[in-house]
Amino acid sequence: MQIVSEIREPLVTGHRTISDVTDDISSRVEESPTRAWWFGFAISLVLLVSGGWFMGDMLWNGIGRWGLNKTVQWSWDITNFVWWVGIGHAGTLISAILLLFRQKWRTSINRAAEAMTIFAVICALIWPMVHMGRVWLGYWALPLPNAYGSLWVNFHSPLLWDVFAISTYFSVSLLFWYIGLVPDFATIRDRATTKTSRLVYGMLSLGGQGGADAWKHYENVALILAGLCTPLVLSVHTIVSMDFATSVIPGWHTTIFPPYFVAGAIFSGFAMVLTLMLVVRKVYRLEHYITLEHIELMNLVIMITGSIVGIAYISELFMAWYSGVSYEQYAFMNRVGGDYWWAYGLMMTCNVVSPQMFWFKKIRTSITATFALSIVVNIGMWFERFVIIVTSLHRDYLPSSWVYFTPTAWDVMCYVFTFGLFFTLFFLFAKYFPVVNMAEVKSALKNSDAKVYKSRVTIKDEMEVV
């Protein structure tokens, strides 16, 4: 008897060598910006400047510019905060957890995912600061020694938990991202043709020469940071969910929120990584490094986490009915059939129905379908946060307080400002930093020979077949 098995698809296609990897990725940093890059960067700057004007006007005149009212005191701003924190989840997940599990397919996408994490967390941090109304007093949220009177930090407040969780998450993620860049900075430094480039990348590479001891220390530090990041992936959005779960608002105080929020964050984060990487793949001609297998595996993660989110939605509806609490039942009835039924319908369609398309291999390996569905997922996840926050607040215990929240131009344009900031930072990163991790891709080359993939392993079974 003969046992025949196929080896997995190559992680790097096109018979690329180590030298090819260096040339293909470093040249994107060394060459002049393309027209496509300038076009995207110009759009990002337009969003940044136009949204920045509204943001500045709002800071000058106060958050009364937003559509907030007596009943709906959290709305568009906190929706955006939770959404951006969720977007930043996939980067650390890809970098840390998949590294610990020795998943080699992460090597081509982890660098851009880590950068996305940093920029998304920066955008998220803007919203609690501006929501306070007095940005210049933002440091009051920090547990610093008080020299200005009887100001005491309330350690019982879930918002203070956010300060600890997100600042720790940002610091460790930034360090993890930068450490991973050091070997690639050294490569670009050695290839630099100008004194300025050699000086800048020489400083960024910390003088690394690529010796055996340096690589040993680099790998040890990467594993240590991955171990630190792993609990952060689960804890950050868990703590964000507790901002809601520790309240007494119907629809919020539920124990399902921590796993539900974490799954949703991974769901939306992977969708944003796909959106960005498909564009980078096309513009920078990185089809040999970001292959259809990478795209298919990420689509599978989206399909699984989308299904988990769908189960959480159904569980919420069931438990509201099963609880017998009239306020809880009304909160969910209002979500489904109240004034914001359209937002709930969009949330369910985008987050539950659309990911199920990835059950079909033809769709999950289609670039066009993947790009479209990745955007649909992120739209749905924004509406999820909007539904959770607004529909639980706009119908208070007192019918006299009931109100319909309507966003103003300042709500929308402040959100546009964060998009402009995010994409401006990402375009600068894609131009001046290596967008793919050269060092880790080279380590995966030995498993990426197309000839090996096409071959079949034939083993003669000498055992008797009964």
Side-chain angles (χ1 to χ4, degrees):
M1 175 184 171
Q2 288 185 337
I3 299 175
V4 180
S5 62
E6 289 222 15
I7 297 177
R8 64 178 293 170
E9 237 179 288
L11 295 173
V12 180
T13 60
H15 303 281
R16 314 311 287 172
T17 64
I18 290 178
S19 178
D20 291 332
V21 173
T22 302
D23 291 337
D24 291 343
I25 299 171
S26 297
S27 61
R28 305 296 177 258
V29 178
E30 297 160 350
E31 66 187 10
S32 299
T34 62
R35 289 185 179 180
W37 185 90
W38 278 116
F39 178 74
F41 187 64
I43 292 177
S44 300
L45 286 179
V46 169
L47 297 178
L48 181 65
V49 173
S50 58
W53 188 91
F54 280 85
M55 179 69 80
D57 179 78
M58 184 275 298
L59 291 174
W60 183 261
N61 292 289
I63 61 174
R65 292 291 198 187
W66 288 342
L68 300 175
N69 50 61
K70 178 182 177 182
T71 306
V72 185
Q73 298 178 5
W74 280 11
S75 182
W76 199 280
D77 50 338
I78 304 301
T79 298
N80 297 334
F81 163 67
V82 181
W83 187 78
W84 278 117
V85 172
I87 292 297
H89 253 58
T92 309
L93 175 75
I94 291 171
S95 300
I97 295 180
L98 296 184
L99 173 63
L100 294 177
F101 282 95
R102 307 297 186 188
Q103 295 296 304
K104 290 290 186 180
W105 63 271
R106 60 176 279 284
T107 55
S108 294
I109 59 175
N110 67 325
R111 173 70 51 71
E114 291 165 11
M116 186 195 75
T117 292
I118 304 301
F119 306 147
V121 173
I122 291 172
C123 292
L125 288 172
I126 291 173
W127 293 103
M129 293 289 291
V130 298
H131 180 84
M132 292 170 64
R134 299 180 179 180
V135 182
W136 54 92
L137 298 179
Y139 66 93
W140 282 12
L142 300 174
L144 299 174
N146 176 36
Y148 301 103
S150 56
L151 174 66
W152 297 94
V153 175
N154 181 10
F155 287 94
H156 294 288
S157 171
L159 298 180
L160 186 63
W161 308 344
D162 285 342
V163 172
F164 282 103
I166 295 175
S167 61
T168 305
Y169 181 63
F170 178 77
S171 302
V172 177
S173 298
L174 181 63
L175 183 60
F176 195 17
W177 178 57
Y178 179 71
I179 292 298
L181 280 162
V182 168
D184 290 356
F185 282 147
T187 300
I188 297 173
R189 174 203 63 199
D190 295 339
R191 291 168 54 96
T193 56
T194 65
K195 289 184 178 180
T196 303
S197 297
R198 197 175 298 112
L199 175 63
V200 171
Y201 289 108
M203 293 173 61
L204 291 173
S205 65
L206 304 178
Q209 298 298 325
D213 287 341
W215 278 109
K216 179 182 177 181
H217 295 317
Y218 168 79
E219 291 174 356
N220 289 337
V221 169
L223 286 173
I224 292 170
L225 290 176
L228 291 174
C229 286
T230 298
L232 289 175
V233 173
L234 303 176
S235 68
V236 171
H237 226 58
T238 296
I239 292 172
V240 171
S241 75
M242 289 179 181
D243 294 347
F244 305 92
T246 55
S247 72
V248 293
I249 304 295
W252 284 7
H253 60 289
T254 171
T255 54
I256 200 175
F257 264 30
Y260 163 26
F261 269 50
V262 170
I266 296 169
F267 180 52
S268 60
F270 266 77
M272 181 62 85
V273 170
L274 270 175
T275 303
L276 296 175
M277 293 308 296
L278 290 176
V279 175
V280 170
R281 178 180 187 267
K282 182 66 176 178
V283 173
Y284 280 2
R285 302 182 298 278
L286 296 174
E287 290 84 357
H288 294 308
Y289 303 98
I290 305 170
T291 65
L292 284 178
E293 185 183 6
H294 291 97
I295 295 168
E296 183 177 7
L297 288 170
M298 294 183 72
N299 283 336
L300 289 173
V301 173
I302 290 174
M303 183 184 72
I304 294 169
T305 51
S307 300
I308 294 173
V309 168
I311 293 171
Y313 294 160
I314 296 169
S315 298
E316 282 188 315
L317 293 172
F318 172 77
M319 291 309 299
W321 167 79
Y322 189 72
S323 68
V325 178
S326 58
Y327 297 107
E328 199 76 22
Q329 291 172 347
Y330 177 78
F332 284 92
M333 287 172 56
N334 183 54
R335 283 186 188 180
V336 178
D339 292 339
Y340 292 101
W341 63 268
W342 52 272
Y344 190 85
L346 278 171
M347 177 191 78
M348 293 295 286
T349 303
C350 296
N351 295 344
V352 180
V353 178
S354 66
Q356 305 311 313
M357 298 294 102
F358 288 136
W359 282 100
F360 304 99
K361 186 177 180 67
K362 187 174 181 180
I363 293 179
R364 68 174 181 262
T365 55
S366 167
I367 302 297
T368 304
T370 297
F371 184 74
L373 287 173
S374 68
I375 295 175
V376 167
V377 165
N378 271 310
I379 292 173
M381 287 307 296
W382 188 92
F383 274 102
E384 179 208 277
R385 279 64 180 247
F386 180 81
V387 165
I388 289 173
I389 294 169
V390 175
T391 61
S392 295
L393 294 177
H394 85 120
R395 292 288 181 262
D396 205 346
Y397 290 103
L398 296 175
S400 60
S401 300
W402 289 3
V403 67
Y404 188 86
F405 168 78
T406 302
T408 66
W410 281 264
D411 285 287
V412 177
M413 292 307 295
C414 287
Y415 185 39
V416 168
F417 167 75
T418 57
F419 267 103
L421 176 62
F422 177 83
F423 284 110
T424 298
L425 293 173
F426 191 85
F427 274 111
L428 291 172
F429 154 76
K431 174 63 190 76
Y432 294 105
F433 287 7
V435 75
V436 172
N437 193 322
M438 288 186 282
E440 294 196 9
V441 168
K442 290 172 184 177
S443 69
L445 277 180
K446 62 182 179 180
N447 299 322
S448 301
D449 190 352
K451 293 180 181 178
V452 174
Y453 166 65
K454 292 178 181 178
S455 68
R456 289 175 177 267
V457 179
T458 304
I459 305 173
K460 185 175 181 181
D461 185 9
E462 297 179 351
M463 298 176 63
E464 277 189 26
V465 178
V466 179

